[in-house]
Amino acid sequence: MVMQLLLRKKAGSLSNSEWGEFLRTMDHIDDLKKDSIKGGLARDKWQDVQLMSQAAHRYSGTPESPNLVETLMARCLVNSMSVTDATGSTLGTCLSTSAALLNHSCNPNCIFVSSGASLSIRSLQPIPASSELTISYTDITTPSHRRQKDLKSMYFFDCACEYCTKKLTCGMPDVPATLNNGQPPAKILELEVEGERLQTSAENATSEEKLKLLDEAMNLFASHKSIYPLWRYPWPSIRDEMRLLQWSLDHLSVAAVHALKAYFFIDPVLYPIPWHPVRIQRVFVLLKLLYELQYHIFFSTDNGHEMEGDLKRYSINWLSVNKGLEQEIEAAIPKAFGTDSSFAEEYRRVPKSESPEKLGIRVGDVPHGPHKIASKISETLMLKQRRQLTAAFRRGCRKQQRRYESNFAKDNDTTSTGHQASAGKYEPTHHGHHPEPVNESLGKGFYLAIAALPLSFAIYKFSRSTNESNAESAQPWLTRMIRGYDNWHKSYAERNAMHTKMVEQAGHDRNLFTNSAPSALVDLSFPEVFNTGSPYNVPAGHGANLDELINHYRRKNAEQDAKTRARMEAKKEELKQRDSAILPGKNPPGAPSFSAVSPKQ
């Protein structure tokens, strides 16, 4: 997102007004730095901001300063929102300077709904005039202490709304003052911490290990259900992960049980508004799951779970169930998403059951709720099915009557006998004349089967080799032809062994890279290798421009040569002066003196 902003700013496609609105949003850059120095909750976030901003500044080639790019990255992290599809799955993030102006509340009166590339604000309750529009910056289904922690680590403020002041979650107390069985209220917090630990451990585990950990967490809360309600964090999120895991393993009936439990006992508590967008998205997911489950029950030859086979024995009116959920979604779409939203388009693409209008049911005649709608549609369907069965029985009787009258006309050349008249018009008669017996041929199949026996023996006989000494050549020709492909088994085995080894090695490498902690010390026997290819720190001779370096040492050498020549000239001048100081006939100072000696001596 920061790269797009920088590139658009560099290309001139981002107007100054849009750029100014984005720079007026909150960045919390000072809070991130202070918290990083103190070692707080946002320590890792500040490191991520620094690394991502450096990468964006380098690869975008922007003329902006690195400090400004850091503030841009912080603004995107603080003010961006998630974009979801019709099932509530996150597709990406979006940034809106207008949406960033709304404040937070743990009991918001608005919610953001994404529809393709657009973002809309939907009210959750009647809002009086001149009242503030509020949204939730965090998950409002979590306890107050969890919400306070998330808001402090991301947005650096303490929420002082009514729900946080009174420690409420969706209008209910986080921890009751007294429990039913006399246990201390701190027991709920202990269960919450243990459930979070199991849920965190299951994030990076395999499917089998994840199933065991989630099942252990579910059993932990189920054993304390007298003090730990179904809707309290983190039990609903663990149940959702269990539903998705069972769905991915094709245990559709088990996944449907978890989804139905959430539909009847959890969602009405966490999202009490019947047309809440999150609640309708979850109903849509439940409907798609039931569609797939019904296909496996009625059309698939392989039941992935024994419960799916048991469901066949129950008289479940699946059409009524489907229509109840479909009508609940259709009634909520105008308020929750809008008739022109991407959710409405996705819902219209899903094959529907028979519409209520065709059954004679109007939407206004049935109160909201799938159990009430299902009962009304069930009654209508039963009446319609009885009428259809009655009409089919009458059509069958008339068709059978015409068939009997036609057979009777062919078998009798005379008029009706007294027996036929007394039998009635629906009773056939068998007293007509029968045709003469004729000789029937055995057919071509019989003769082909008889001819195939000697032909098969002849092929087997002449396919054998005349060289009986060679055991391999003595085998039938068909056997030798089949065994000519035995070498394929060896090549297939080698290929499978190689593929298995590659998969095992890839899994080993993935486990190594995932679970190995990064080393803080890099010990290199040849440190220059670390900088090879870097455009900013290149060893000598690795492609850098050395002209300036060569000129530098040339100047150094010229200066050194000038100094040497100056010293040599000074020495030469000194010697010359010493030579000129010696007079003729006199010894120079310090020279030995010689006296003349007579030859006689």
Side-chain angles (χ1 to χ4, degrees), residues 111 139-141 170 266-280 282:
I111 187 174
D139 187 2
I140 61 175
T141 63
C170 299
I266 299 176
D267 293 346
V269 179
L270 299 181
Y271 310 102
I273 303 174
W275 42 266
H276 195 286
V278 178
R279 183 172 176 179
I280 298 304
R282 295 172 64 85

Side-chain angles (χ1 to χ4, degrees), residues 29-240:
I29 193 73
D30 296 331
D31 297 326
L32 285 170
K33 292 180 180 179
K34 292 178 183 179
D35 197 75
S36 175
I37 296 174
K38 296 179 181 179
L41 299 174
R43 180 181 65 256
D44 296 336
K45 288 185 179 180
W46 172 241
Q47 295 177 359
D48 295 340
V49 167
Q50 286 182 311
L51 292 175
M52 291 187 293
S53 61
Q54 290 175 8
H57 184 270
R58 178 175 301 177
Y59 291 109
S60 64
T62 178
E64 307 293 340
S65 63
N67 293 334
L68 179 61
V69 178
E70 286 183 356
T71 60
L72 297 180
M73 184 65 67
R75 285 184 172 92
C76 289
L77 290 178
V78 172
N79 299 285
S80 59
M81 288 162 286
S82 299
V83 177
T84 60
D85 59 0
T87 61
S89 302
T90 302
L91 299 177
T93 56
C94 69
L95 180 63
S96 174
T97 56
S98 301
L101 299 176
L102 272 69
N103 288 326
H104 163 79
S105 174
C106 294
N107 184 23
N109 54 17
C110 295
I111 187 174
F112 281 115
V113 175
S114 58
S115 177
S118 62
L119 191 69
S120 60
I121 303 177
R122 294 280 170 176
S123 62
L124 299 176
Q125 52 187 273
I127 304 175
S130 302
S131 299
E132 183 183 12
L133 302 181
T134 58
I135 60 173
S136 176
Y137 291 177
T138 183
D139 187 2
I140 61 175
T141 63
T142 57
S144 59
H145 64 88
R146 178 82 181 192
R147 300 196 303 270
Q148 292 282 0
K149 180 180 178 182
D150 294 340
L151 294 173
K152 189 67 175 179
S153 63
M154 188 65 188
Y155 304 100
F156 301 97
F157 73 91
D158 296 323
C159 183
C161 69
E162 180 183 4
Y163 277 24
C164 288
T165 304
K166 297 182 180 180
K167 298 186 181 302
L168 301 176
T169 301
C170 299
M172 291 165 291
D174 294 341
V175 180
T178 57
L179 301 180
N180 297 333
N181 55 1
Q183 295 190 18
K187 182 65 175 178
I188 292 183
L189 299 179
E190 295 178 2
L191 295 173
E192 178 185 331
V193 172
E194 181 64 18
E196 285 182 339
R197 185 190 67 81
L198 294 173
Q199 188 178 14
T200 306
S201 302
E203 289 179 355
N204 298 324
T206 60
S207 298
E208 296 180 358
E209 295 176 354
K210 186 175 182 178
L211 185 62
K212 292 180 181 179
L213 292 172
L214 294 179
D215 189 63
E216 182 180 353
M218 295 287 291
N219 293 332
L220 172 68
F221 293 124
S223 60
H224 297 84
K225 61 182 179 181
S226 59
I227 62 174
Y228 209 96
L230 289 171
W231 51 265
R232 196 183 191 283
Y233 173 86
W235 200 353
S237 60
I238 293 176
R239 186 180 299 278
D240 288 340

Side-chain angles (χ1 to χ4, degrees), residues 12-29:
S13 61
L14 189 66
S15 63
N16 293 331
S17 60
E18 293 176 336
W19 181 255
E21 290 179 0
F22 179 66
L23 293 181
R24 283 192 292 270
T25 58
M26 297 293 294
D27 55 10
H28 294 292
I29 193 73

Side-chain angles (χ1 to χ4, degrees), residues 218 230 239-240 242-244 246-247 251-266 282 286 289-290 293 305 307-308 311 316 318:
M218 295 287 291
L230 289 171
R239 186 180 299 278
D240 288 340
M242 177 68 80
R243 169 180 57 82
L244 294 175
Q246 296 286 3
W247 197 344
H251 297 166
L252 303 179
S253 54
V254 181
V257 169
H258 290 295
L260 288 170
K261 213 164 213 180
Y263 174 79
F264 284 111
F265 304 108
I266 299 176
R282 295 172 64 85
L286 172 62
L289 176 58
L290 291 180
L293 175 62
H305 197 268
M307 190 181 295
E308 296 175 12
L311 288 175
I316 300 177
W318 292 106

